[in-house]
Structures are given as structure tokens and as C-alpha cells.
Amino acid sequence: MHPVVRLQRDAGNAAVAGLLAPSRSVRLQRVRVDLPSGGGVGDAPATNHREGVLLVLDRMHVLWGIENADYDAIYPAVVALGPGTAVTDPAHLALLRRALSRTLEPVLPREVAAAQYGVNLGAAVGAGQPNNAADVLMVQDLLHSRWHLTNDDYVTERAAASGGGPTPETMAGISRLKAATLAGTGRTGWAPLIRADESGPAGPGGTDRLADRTFTYGEFLVFVPAGAAASLTNHVHVFFSAAGVIGGSSHVEHHGLRGAADAGSQILIGVRGEEGRAFTISLQQIVDALASTGRPATVSAITMSAHSRGNAGLAATLRRRLIPASLIHHITILDANDQAPTILAGIRASGVPLSNVTADIVTTGQFGTFPAGIRTRSMDPAAIRAIGYARLINDAQALSRVSPFPPAIAALAAALPLPARGSFTTANPAPSGKVNINAFTRDPTHAAALRALRTGERRVSDVGALAGSEERSAYAFIEWNDLLNLRNPNDPRSTWRSVSPGIYSHHLFVAEVAGETLA
């Protein structure tokens, strides 16, 4: 669990004992809600920036922590502030503090329980409330499922509730539940994860360590890396995907883009793709997406990348000038030489200099070329595919996705001394701490391991046809266990459409250069 809400109480949690007495309430000496997207609301050192305050006001309103009249008075005043501007009016800050304190009291109204948590109580539960035994038991189930009541306290206080005894940790858990709702933490994570560097200790949202900083705005993905959350400056990277961008089966997860972005400070915004369609994004949509997470509604700089058919969305966005060229610092085209004329027309229409564009080429070089002004970087498709196989196998082993794990498959991956993901670069010479990916693939000491990882590749109509080779061939193992989350695990493998080795070359390289692309 990632506790981003800090309630600084003079008396500590022990003070909640005996809260069932109607005359008692939690007195919060200092209160602050820290938002996982960055900044916070409440007592110092909270930033109290416009968008964060608006987000928290809305959440307090649905939790019944602020009166309608107070909400109607303060909300328009905060909206009127400039993007990212701090709320400094003493009366407004005092109102915010009162509302925060009220929201975080250990009281769960029946209506709030139903609307926000899907729990249908007969009456309110909490300090000074009816606390009917059946209702308290339902609240305890909710708190336990959300990790706001430990296993031991759950067992102890269920027995106490059934007998009409005190339940101090249940009362404290109600405050913790509402605090998490205010902050927006405890989000359900993506599953099953593909990339091990995106995994962490189990929490209320699963093992996805990035869940609390992963947001959706309509069909767009927004991910705020830890480095960005430490400030309120928005440097944005827009990724135009070949397919979906949200969830464990999305191409964002295939490529491990959240994990790659988390090593830097660029906020990742994902734009979906689809065969034959061009999905665009405008500056206003970027600003609105940021504000929806509590980030300031401003953008300082933008970099962009697009993979495969996602380049249609990139080209259309540029051609229509939906984002000012002055904000676009760099564009990376990922294996899309087959779309070179369309992409080039979009770049020229946008006014972005060709010198600010890079094209990474793996399998599409035979289908088109870019002019000399664009820097091109080619990679060996067979070698990059083998690297991708090894990475997927290592990740699957680290995530315990396959059990028992075939020793022969583990040995194939172990024979290739892969650096940590994010270490590869296309730059030559490689910067300190980085490894040039082409030098790695050309190293004669890696040749045998790279070749062995490709052993057993074959074109088949469906994954079921690979039966018998899934414990010997890296390709068959990856297909048989669906390590890219491409299919319905409840369907028979004979209905799973296979992915060709060439498509794996085209696809898997992105995860290896993502650290450089998002730097």
C-alpha cells in the first residue's frame, strides 16, 4: 500500500478508541491530502494549487464533507484562478481545512456508502452513529477488502461488532478509507503485468506499483512518473499507439512504457490506434487530461513518439496543427517507414524542423525512406527479436507467470547477459551507463545465445499447433503462455491466432528503446 495521505494528528490513531460515544470526534490538528499526481491540499507544505483544490473539492462534495452552500461559494472562486495558481485567500483556506477535517471524520453515511462504495447500509456507521451490527460488519468487509483493516483487526473487531463491543480500528479505518478516496489512492492496477519493473509489493490494487499514478481521461492514458509528481511543471510525452493504451493487454503495457517513463520526469499520455483510423490529440485535450488528475492545466514542453499504425494519428495531429510546433521539442518515429510520405507531410505542415525528428527502423526499412534531415537509426530485426524474447522470459519468471517454469526456457534467457531495461541506447558512442543496442547485438560473444533464442520459430495458423515445443523454443513458450496478454485465456489455444516472428521484431524492440524515447 502506498500511503500518500498523511493525517498528522497530535494524539495519534489511539485516540479513536471509544469513538462510539456521540460526544467524541476526531480532532485533526494538521491535515493534508497529498495527491499521487503531485502537490497537495490542506495544511503546509501543501501546494493548494487550483486544479488540485478543485479535484479535492469535488471528492469532498460526494463524500458529504462540505456543505452545498460552501461548495457553491468556493468552487467558482477557485475556477477563476489561473492554471496552477495557489489558493491563498485566508477565508478559502479556512473553509478547505474545515471541510477536510469534516470529511475525514470516522463517519460513513448510508447514502455515501451506497453511491461511492457500493455498500447498502441500513443506517450510518461511525462515531455517534447507530452502528447496527449488520451494518458494521458490512463496513468491516469493505475496509478489509481495501486494506484499511488488517487481518487481525478484522477478525477481532468482527467478533466485537457482533456482540456490540467497541471497534476502534474499524472507526479509524473509515477515516483511512475516505482519506484514500480524497487522494485517489488504492486504484486497481493492471493485471496480469507483462513487465517486471512495473511490479511491486501487493496492495489494495494488486501488484501494479504504478497504479496510483495511472489515470484515464476518456480514451487517453495519463501516467505521472514519480519525478514529475515531485513538481508541478508539466513536461509531456505523447505516445501514439498501434492499438489500445489502457490496461494489462494494451500496447502501453506491452512496451512497458509506464516503467520506462517512471525513470524520468515526462508525463506520459497515450493515444490509442486502430487499423485504418487516425486518432489525434490537441493541446486542449492534453491540458484537460492533466487537470483531470489534479495537475496544473499548463504544458511547458512536449515530446512525441508513434509506433507502427499509431503514426497515422501522429501525422494527422501534426498536419492539423493541433499542437503548436513551438511546444514540440522532439518526435520519434518507431518503425514506420511504410508511412513515410504521410508522416513527412504532417511534419512539414506542423512547422516542426526535420532536425527534431528521429526514426528508429527495424522491419519497415524496405518499404520507404525518410529525407536526410531526419536522423535514422536501424536495428537488426532478428537480433532485436531475440532480445525481446529473453526480456519477456525474464519478466515472466520474475512475475511468476508460469509454473512450473521450464528449465530449458530459463536457460535460453539466462545465456544472454541482458542489461536492465532502460539501459539500451541507439546513440554511438553510448553515454555513460548505457549500452549501444547494435554493439550488443554484434558482439560475437552474444551470437550463440541470440541464435538459440530464435530456435524453433515457425509460422503456424494457431498457437495450438505449437504443442510439444513450448518447453524448448522461446518463441513457442511466449506464444503458448500468451506473455503479451493478446488472447482470452479461457479460449482454447487452437483458437488463438499466432503472431509471426517478424511481427515480434516489429513490436518487441519498443520496450528496449523506450527508456531512450521517454528520456
Side-chain angles (χ1 to χ4, degrees):
M1 180 177 180
H2 304 284
V4 298
V5 179
R6 301 183 181 90
L7 303 180
Q8 300 169 337
R9 302 171 182 160
D10 284 355
N13 285 336
V16 300
L19 282 176
L20 293 178
S23 62
R24 296 288 301 275
S25 64
V26 175
R27 294 187 179 276
L28 301 172
Q29 300 305 315
R30 291 177 61 81
V31 60
R32 183 176 83 246
V33 175
D34 289 344
L35 300 172
S37 61
V41 176
D43 291 332
T47 55
N48 290 315
H49 61 287
R50 171 185 179 270
E51 294 78 7
V53 169
L54 292 173
L55 189 64
V56 171
L57 281 171
D58 283 337
R59 290 172 177 170
M60 289 193 295
H61 198 213
V62 298
L63 290 173
W64 289 22
I66 184 170
E67 297 286 353
N68 288 337
D70 288 339
Y71 177 85
D72 291 342
I74 189 174
Y75 201 89
V78 178
V79 168
L81 297 174
T85 301
V87 175
T88 58
D89 183 283
H92 291 161
L93 291 174
L95 191 158
L96 274 175
R97 191 180 189 286
R98 288 195 305 273
L100 283 170
S101 297
R102 175 179 172 178
T103 304
L104 296 168
E105 287 179 352
V107 175
L108 187 59
R110 179 176 62 87
E111 296 83 354
V112 172
Q116 302 305 315
Y117 306 112
V119 176
N120 296 312
L121 303 177
V125 172
Q129 304 306 308
N131 293 317
N132 300 322
D135 292 332
V136 175
L137 293 174
M138 283 192 284
V139 169
Q140 288 171 335
D141 287 341
L142 170 66
L143 297 175
H144 188 236
S145 70
R146 301 288 184 95
W147 289 48
H148 299 304
L149 196 61
T150 67
N151 291 338
D152 289 344
D153 288 335
Y154 178 72
V155 171
T156 300
E157 297 204 356
R158 278 185 76 79
S162 298
T167 55
E169 285 306 313
T170 299
M171 298 300 108
I174 292 172
S175 290
R176 289 191 289 268
L177 172 70
K178 294 197 291 182
T181 302
L182 280 184
T185 59
R187 295 171 179 271
T188 300
W190 291 1
L193 289 171
I194 296 171
R195 301 300 174 182
D197 57 10
E198 297 184 350
S199 178
T207 59
D208 180 355
R209 71 177 181 87
L210 306 175
D212 283 347
R213 290 182 279 115
T214 301
F215 308 88
T216 58
Y217 178 72
E219 294 185 333
F220 299 119
L221 163 82
V222 183
F223 172 70
V224 181
S231 80
L232 294 180
T233 300
N234 292 326
H235 295 282
V236 172
H237 182 92
V238 179
F239 173 71
F240 293 86
S241 175
V245 293
I246 298 168
S249 63
S250 71
H251 282 207
V252 169
E253 179 59 19
H254 290 184
H255 306 318
L257 296 186
R258 294 182 306 152
D262 205 41
S265 59
Q266 289 198 88
I267 297 169
L268 172 65
I269 295 183
V271 182
R272 64 173 294 213
E274 187 179 313
E275 185 68 43
R277 298 184 66 184
F279 292 88
T280 62
I281 191 169
S282 67
L283 178 61
Q284 188 60 56
Q285 287 173 313
I286 292 172
V287 165
D288 291 344
L290 293 169
S292 75
T293 73
R295 298 286 303 178
T298 57
V299 176
S300 297
I302 295 174
T303 59
M304 309 168 86
S305 64
H307 176 237
S308 188
R309 57 179 173 252
N311 279 278
L314 168 68
T317 297
L318 294 173
R319 185 179 66 253
R320 293 168 56 186
R321 300 182 182 179
L322 298 180
I323 300 172
S326 59
L327 284 175
I328 302 173
H329 288 203
H330 194 79
I331 297 171
T332 303
I333 301 163
L334 300 166
D335 213 21
N337 282 43
D338 54 328
Q339 302 172 61
T342 302
I343 298 169
L344 187 59
I347 294 170
R348 286 175 168 156
S350 73
V352 173
L354 295 184
S355 58
N356 288 358
V357 182
T358 300
D360 289 343
I361 306 164
V362 178
T363 64
T364 63
Q366 60 183 308
F367 301 114
T369 58
F370 288 100
I374 293 177
R375 187 163 70 99
T376 58
R377 307 176 296 198
S378 297
M379 285 165 265
D380 174 37
I384 200 73
R385 180 168 76 247
I387 288 174
Y389 289 168
R391 186 77 68 190
L392 281 176
I393 291 167
N394 288 340
D395 284 339
Q397 198 165 16
L399 293 168
S400 300
R401 287 195 58 173
V402 178
S403 181
F405 207 92
I409 298 298
L412 285 172
L416 187 68
L418 276 182
R421 200 167 73 89
S423 299
F424 279 131
T425 179
T426 58
N428 190 20
S432 176
K434 300 291 184 178
V435 177
N436 178 271
I437 195 166
N438 285 327
F440 182 90
T441 60
R442 293 168 185 158
D443 187 330
T445 65
H446 300 153
L450 291 169
R451 190 165 52 249
L453 281 159
R454 298 192 299 273
T455 300
E457 292 179 330
R458 56 195 176 102
R459 294 295 300 267
V460 294
S461 60
D462 62 79
V463 175
L466 295 170
S469 59
E470 72 274 11
E471 295 191 0
R472 301 189 309 272
S473 159
Y475 168 76
F477 174 80
I478 290 165
E479 285 281 273
W480 191 262
N481 293 288
D482 193 28
L483 295 190
L484 282 182
N485 300 340
L486 296 171
R487 299 98 171 180
N488 185 338
N490 296 317
D491 292 341
R493 289 184 173 88
S494 60
T495 66
W496 290 4
R497 182 180 176 182
S498 66
V499 177
S500 71
I503 292 297
Y504 273 123
S505 295
H506 174 65
H507 202 69
L508 295 181
F509 88 97
V510 179
E512 301 305 321
V513 300
E516 179 174 71
T517 303
L518 289 161

